[in-house]
Amino acid sequence: MSAEAGGNLHLLCRCSVDNIQQFVHSAADDWCGRGSPRYQDYGKVWPIGEWKDAMAAGRHLVMLAIGKAQSKADIVSLLTAAGLEEDVAQAASSALEARRGDVLPALKSNSATIAQSHLRDFDWRVQLMMSSDKLHTVRKPVVNIDLALDGQTGPKKVALELDKDELKQMIQSLENANRVVQQLKS
């Protein structure tokens, strides 16, 4: 989500208690693929020129509050800092809490589809490189990794040859990715 959308949370201060609850539920429906908020329902709150920014702010609010597991108090303080009145911020927080069970699986599914391919299988082997066409003796260990990927274009095979430093870097990257996945699961 863009930083600009997060900066537009102040647009939500135009909402009444009823409007903010309806808008948060509509933004949650948008994340769940059930349709986005309609301008016809909110034309009295935002002019057409700000509608797209207001929708982005609503989507960002849902992602921020539910995707990052913010507490109700954190959501209220975020919204009051953005200029919403306390009762409107409380109403938005209550609506977000009510939709947490619907939206969280949709957010996880959305984050899982970031990559176009996924790993189906892999094979690895370690070899000791004894020499090359440029050097007579090298004596350098390398690991060969064959990845079998499934993607939108069908199965694909990728072969990697990594030295010790490249392997450490790849393992570190995979551990970082695993940490992010574990945070999303919890």
Side-chain angles (χ1 to χ4, degrees):
M1 196 59 55
S2 68
E4 189 176 298
N8 288 333
L9 287 178
H10 70 279
L11 291 173
L12 302 179
C13 70
R14 296 187 188 156
C15 289
S16 67
V17 171
D18 292 333
N19 281 345
I20 195 70
Q21 285 186 324
Q22 181 183 0
F23 186 69
V24 167
H25 283 292
S26 296
D29 284 342
D30 189 18
W31 273 108
C32 295
R34 297 182 193 138
S36 59
R38 298 178 328 160
Y39 178 72
Q40 295 89 330
D41 298 333
Y42 303 98
K44 293 179 182 175
V45 179
W46 294 287
I48 191 76
E50 292 179 346
W51 174 240
K52 189 173 184 178
D53 292 336
M55 280 185 27
R59 282 183 58 84
H60 181 73
L61 174 64
V62 170
M63 188 265 316
L64 185 69
I66 296 174
K68 299 204 185 248
Q70 298 282 338
S71 69
K72 191 171 182 176
D74 290 340
I75 296 166
V76 170
S77 50
L78 172 76
L79 292 173
T80 53
L84 273 73
E85 295 177 19
E86 181 77 22
D87 59 337
V88 175
Q90 288 283 353
S93 179
S94 295
L96 286 164
E97 195 60 37
R99 295 303 299 272
R100 184 175 300 274
D102 294 337
V103 175
L104 195 56
L107 288 173
K108 287 180 180 180
S109 174
N110 188 357
S111 66
T113 59
I114 292 171
Q116 294 179 0
S117 298
H118 64 276
L119 182 64
R120 181 174 32 96
D121 195 14
F122 71 96
D123 186 27
W124 64 276
R125 63 192 165 279
V126 177
Q127 296 177 336
L128 183 62
M129 189 182 302
M130 301 297 284
S131 65
S132 73
D133 59 347
K134 296 184 179 168
L135 295 172
H136 184 358
T137 57
V138 175
R139 306 200 68 142
K140 175 178 153 184
V142 293
V143 64
N144 292 324
I145 302 174
D146 296 321
L147 304 173
L149 305 174
D150 283 334
Q152 295 172 341
T153 59
K156 180 178 173 183
K157 293 199 181 264
V158 176
L160 303 171
E161 183 177 283
L162 306 170
D163 65 18
K164 186 177 179 180
D165 294 332
E166 292 169 330
L167 181 61
K168 282 182 182 180
Q169 184 179 3
M170 180 179 169
I171 290 171
Q172 183 65 38
S173 297
L174 292 172
E175 286 174 347
N176 291 340
N178 187 41
R179 263 188 240 112
V180 170
V181 168
Q182 295 305 318
Q183 287 175 350
L184 287 173
K185 284 184 177 180
S186 60

